[in-house]
Amino acid sequence: MPSDNAQTSLEPPPKGDPAKAQKYIDQLITLISEDKIEVFHTDLSKFDPSSLEDHFRVDLKDYLIEISHSKQPNSGKDSYVILFTNLRKIQEGSNEKVILAYMYLADEQFHKFKDAANQQIEKRKKLEEEQKLEEALAPIDSALKEASQTLNSESSENALPET
């Protein structure tokens, strides 16, 4: 079995087809839906309107999984790929990541992954927004609580004695 350093820039990385990619897509979707890994998304069409569309990234310690969607410039046909790269090489001072392998994805595989990723991203955004709101309103909550306590103590002091 080749090691991470067996890949040279002259050799193309090994590739797989959608059937081989299914195992990885299924694992990624499960881990994303259980919030065991975090996925990041970049809408590349905002930066390069020619062929790049979506790019998702999952960091796994020394490795990176990237899932990309692009359109072929001449035909407009959709193309989906999953890349497996070694980040350890970058951390060790090499200036380029090493592509360990890549696989083409079927349309359905990409869209299932994208749906799971987008659900996690939206859930994360909602939690962040709720936290921002809670932090922003903390002084108001404190002032209301203080006002309520002041009102309660004044009410107790002004209460008429029971006869």
Side-chain angles (χ1 to χ4, degrees):
M1 179 170 229
S3 70
D4 291 349
N5 351 356
Q7 183 68 42
T8 68
S9 58
L10 300 175
E11 300 174 27
K15 71 176 179 177
D17 59 16
K20 290 193 186 331
Q22 188 64 49
K23 166 183 151 184
Y24 297 99
I25 292 298
D26 289 344
Q27 285 180 314
L28 288 168
I29 289 171
T30 298
L31 292 169
I32 290 167
S33 67
E34 295 173 353
D35 286 325
K36 291 186 177 177
I37 59 173
E38 195 170 6
V39 65
F40 300 92
H41 175 254
T42 305
D43 182 354
L44 295 173
S45 64
K46 292 179 182 177
F47 307 107
D48 181 5
S50 59
S51 64
L52 301 173
E53 297 287 321
D54 283 312
H55 181 83
F56 294 92
R57 185 184 89 238
V58 175
D59 298 321
L60 299 171
K61 294 185 181 181
D62 293 335
Y63 301 95
L64 180 67
I65 297 175
E66 297 173 271
I67 296 178
S68 297
H69 169 213
S70 60
K71 288 203 176 276
Q72 300 300 322
N74 298 334
S75 66
K77 183 180 180 216
D78 291 310
S79 175
Y80 310 101
V81 68
I82 182 171
L83 287 174
F84 302 91
T85 57
N86 183 344
L87 290 178
R88 190 174 342 122
K89 298 296 180 192
I90 293 175
Q91 294 164 356
E92 292 173 353
S94 175
N95 61 353
E96 62 182 57
K97 60 186 174 187
V98 175
I99 299 174
L100 301 172
Y102 69 99
M103 297 177 191
Y104 290 104
L105 300 175
D107 184 74
E108 182 182 330
Q109 289 172 313
F110 175 79
H111 284 93
K112 281 184 178 180
F113 173 84
K114 182 178 179 175
D115 289 345
N118 285 339
Q119 285 176 11
Q120 184 191 64
I121 291 166
E122 284 304 311
K123 186 166 81 174
R124 228 176 24 233
K125 281 182 187 176
K126 185 177 179 180
L127 287 173
E128 288 170 8
E129 194 59 38
E130 287 174 5
Q131 184 177 8
K132 285 180 187 177
L133 181 64
E134 190 175 306
E135 288 171 6
L137 293 177
I140 303 299
D141 292 338
S142 179
L144 289 170
K145 183 177 179 181
E146 187 178 312
S148 176
Q149 288 172 343
T150 303
L151 180 63
N152 288 340
S153 67
E154 287 175 4
S155 297
S156 299
E157 291 172 8
N158 295 335
L160 295 174
E162 291 184 21
T163 54

